Amino acid sequence: MSIPTPTSEGVAGLSAAPAGLPDELTLARLAGEFFAALPNGAGAGAYPVPAALPADPEIRLGEPGPRIAPVQAPPRPSPSVSADPAGLSSQAGAPAPGVPEAYAAALPTLSPPASSPQLAPSTPYYFLGEASAYPSSAGNALPLAENRVVPQSFGLPGEGELHALLAEIASDRRAATAPATPQAGHFYFLDSASVPDRKADLPLAQPSASPVFDVNAVRRDFPILQERVNGKPLIWFDNAATTHKPQAVIDRLAWFYQHENSNIHRAAHELAARATDAYEGARSKVARFLGASSVDEIIFVRGATEGINLIAKTWGWQNVGEGDEIIVSHLEHHANIVPWQQLAAAKGARIKVIPVDDTGQVILEEYRRLLTARTRIVSVTQVSNALGTVVPVKEIVALAHQAGAVAVVDGAQSVSHMRVNVQEIGADFFVFSGHKVFAPTGIGAVYGRKALLDDMPPWQGGGNMIADVTFEKTLYHGAPTRFEAGTGNIADAVGLGAAIDYVERLGMDNIARYEHDLLVYATRGVLSVPGLKLIGTARDKASVLSFVLDGYRPEEVGRALNEEGIAVRSGHHCAQPILRRFGQEATVRPSLAFYNTCEEIDHLVAVLHRLARGKGRIGR
């Protein structure tokens, strides 16, 4: 498949302009120049359509770098709670820039090998295969003519092409012939022969029939993205650590404290009723978001870490004994290792680890061999926070159940990137943190199958979780209340509900497709940097790029990027076992969200190129 090129008739797939009028490309370029020239940066953030991507800037660390004009937030309406995130109700047919055409044109379009497996037409992206009991938009879907967040794939390589190319890399690695840094013909996502020269004139990719994801409209919903760091516009590539909050969430928290603030469940006054309704309404939203069968299966906790500890200290303490086995994978965050180690040490149980291959994907054949009649718990992440690997949790859960074990899924890194349905996965328990999905910190949730929760002892004692107390005995409420002792994090639970409303309004499928395109673009960019080695090249990945750069310690790269306003994580990411599996103690980890842009990725890549050339090298 070839990439269309501009001709005198216009771009393939775009209608030619009527006689006497500029063609669509000229109109797009003129519009971009007009908005960029508006005073006070009013037009910043609109992408003109360049003939080619900008050259790598020749600047040194500590000196002014290339400016990325911040997107100016328009004045907000007076109501505290936004009813229309991302400007979705804009007039049909209005321009809606997503990944700009000129950037998209830099992405390759590959012809699939004849032997390449193809993804089913119903699931064109690798992490959209799980059905959901609830539509992503939850009844808020707008008519297609007005939906400005339906993404387009810009002719990116399809699933078959990606798998074939990655198989070639894996084969090279197994033969120990692949160089440490990517060479021609050995790229992670793409074939170098199909990559246009970054400095050359770039043909435009084929347009989609659907409107594009309007990233600039989305960015205006996040006030912190207007911040400046070291005099530069903030570029937030630390989303795997925490995500930023849309104005709708900020406004919802303010509204709660202004109009609803009260303790819940017990009082007979009006504010208690409002607060209780808001808190339990948030529980209902989490249940819908995860595809739970009942609100009684959702427990509010501080986050995924507390959720795993709750499971270990209730179901685990009750059901794991001496000689029993607990299985985790090599990919796990420390929060999905340490609680099980503590349980195993207390009970005389044994920890077993599912190994990963050289791409960073779990080896299911080895996992099958680990399962025995003594296996009590299998606990795995759905997406690796260190590598971005998307783990086949549905298969892992099914195999655990065949062995008679209970399956726990850590969804901290998955819920912001893909549709999740716990019933489709088959998980017995599922945990996640709100701050990873654009909600406040200090709030998260545990999903547990009702039959299991009803049989589990409480793990903390106090108010709210009791039906009756005497000095002789205590009677506990049923799930979920028995696991929520004391005054809960009421306001932030309500904020979590607002964040779920926001992402469902955008649509999880739309978010997933846009981020997939962005990840492919970013992967191509970082692999163009000499001496950069990507850690984690599994064929199924979410929005994480973990790498090391020759001649620099990860913290040095992180500091250099910070000088340019670029926030990344450098370190072991609370996942030391998996980094050591690849011979690393630390990596640099940019991680993406749907408010990131190709322009931001270009700036990241430009700084990495400058470091690779040794300019502005940090002294030892």
Side-chain angles (χ1 to χ4, degrees), residues 35-36 41 99 136 169 213 251 264 338 370 386 410 454 524 605 619:
F35 285 109
V99 177
S136 178
I169 296 173
F213 186 98
D251 288 347
I264 56 175
V338 177
L370 295 177
D410 175 1
D454 286 343
R524 172 196 178 270
V605 172

Side-chain angles (χ1 to χ4, degrees), residues 32-45:
E33 292 172 355
F34 170 77
F35 285 109
L38 289 178
N40 301 322

Side-chain angles (χ1 to χ4, degrees), residues 227-247:
E227 281 295 306
R228 299 183 75 83
V229 174
N230 294 323
K232 314 286 173 54
L234 171 66
I235 296 176
W236 187 258
F237 285 150
D238 197 17
N239 294 287
T242 197
T243 54
H244 290 308
K245 320 310 169 194
Q247 189 66 44

Side-chain angles (χ1 to χ4, degrees), residues 59-75:
I59 55 176
R60 297 178 179 274
L61 296 180
E63 296 179 1
R67 296 173 64 90
I68 299 177
V71 178
Q72 300 296 323

Side-chain angles (χ1 to χ4, degrees), residues 245-261:
K245 320 310 169 194
Q247 189 66 44
V249 171
I250 297 169
D251 288 347
R252 187 64 185 91
L253 290 173
W255 180 271
F256 176 86
Y257 283 118
Q258 290 169 345
H259 301 284
E260 300 166 331
N261 184 45

Side-chain angles (χ1 to χ4, degrees), residues 117-449:
Q118 297 295 320
L119 195 64
S122 61
T123 57
Y125 294 88
Y126 54 71
F127 41 47
L128 301 182
E130 293 174 354
S132 174
Y134 301 93
S136 178
S137 299
N140 290 328
L142 298 177
L144 180 60
E146 295 185 359
N147 187 351
R148 298 182 64 194
V149 297
V150 176
Q152 57 179 329
S153 66
F154 304 110
L156 290 170
E159 184 77 357
E161 295 93 319
L162 293 180
H163 289 193
L165 291 167
L166 292 169
E168 177 187 346
I169 296 173
S171 176
D172 289 347
R173 286 181 173 172
R174 284 193 295 270
T177 59
T181 56
Q183 303 295 325
H186 293 84
F187 288 89
Y188 163 37
F189 271 130
L190 45 111
D191 187 328
S192 61
S194 302
V195 182
D197 186 342
R198 183 180 176 82
K199 306 295 190 247
D201 291 341
L202 299 175
L204 296 176
Q206 296 184 40
S208 168
S210 301
V212 295
F213 186 98
D214 189 351
V215 66
N216 289 319
V218 169
R219 286 175 64 84
R220 287 192 289 271
D221 286 335
F222 291 82
I224 202 168
L225 298 182
Q226 316 306 318
E227 281 295 306
R228 299 183 75 83
V229 174
N230 294 323
K232 314 286 173 54
L234 171 66
I235 296 176
W236 187 258
F237 285 150
D238 197 17
N239 294 287
T242 197
T243 54
H244 290 308
K245 320 310 169 194
Q247 189 66 44
V249 171
I250 297 169
D251 288 347
R252 187 64 185 91
L253 290 173
W255 180 271
F256 176 86
Y257 283 118
Q258 290 169 345
H259 301 284
E260 300 166 331
N261 184 45
S262 172
N263 215 322
I264 56 175
H265 291 155
R266 293 180 292 278
H269 55 74
E270 174 64 22
L271 292 191
R274 293 182 191 174
T276 300
D277 286 348
Y279 184 78
E280 294 302 332
R283 195 191 307 275
S284 296
K285 292 174 184 179
V286 173
R288 182 187 69 232
F289 185 60
L290 297 182
S293 62
S294 166
V295 294
D296 292 338
E297 296 179 320
I298 303 300
I299 303 163
F300 283 127
V301 288
R302 288 185 301 164
T305 298
E306 184 170 270
I308 295 170
N309 276 275
L310 184 157
I311 298 164
K313 290 174 171 58
T314 54
W315 194 95
W317 193 266
Q318 188 179 56
N319 292 280
V320 174
E322 186 172 359
D324 287 340
E325 299 165 351
I326 301 167
I327 296 178
V328 298
S329 85
H330 214 139
L331 291 167
E332 302 311 318
H333 188 283
H334 296 166
N336 202 26
I337 299 173
V338 177
W340 305 120
Q341 288 179 334
Q342 293 173 335
L343 176 63
K347 294 291 190 172
R350 178 186 177 197
I351 301 287
K352 299 167 83 172
V353 180
I354 308 170
V356 301
D357 61 24
D358 289 340
T359 73
Q361 183 58 271
V362 296
I363 305 173
L364 288 177
E365 294 76 13
E366 295 298 325
Y367 166 57
R368 289 186 180 94
R369 295 188 184 100
L370 295 177
L371 290 164
T372 72
R374 299 306 302 266
T375 304
R376 293 289 175 265
I377 297 171
V378 176
S379 187
V380 295
T381 186
Q382 189 170 15
V383 173
S384 164
N385 75 304
L387 306 185
T389 304
V390 179
V391 176
V393 291
K394 188 174 180 179
E395 292 87 341
I396 288 173
V397 168
L399 289 168
H401 288 166
Q402 288 176 20
V406 161
V408 181
V409 176
D410 175 1
Q413 295 294 330
S414 63
V415 289
S416 62
H417 301 300
M418 63 189 69
R419 189 194 297 264
V420 168
N421 185 286
V422 291
Q423 294 185 78
E424 176 71 17
I425 293 169
D428 298 295
F429 297 99
F430 186 98
V431 302
F432 76 95
S433 298
H435 73 101
K436 308 285 190 180
V437 65
F438 316 101
T441 54
I443 189 69
V446 173
Y447 157 82
R449 284 199 297 111

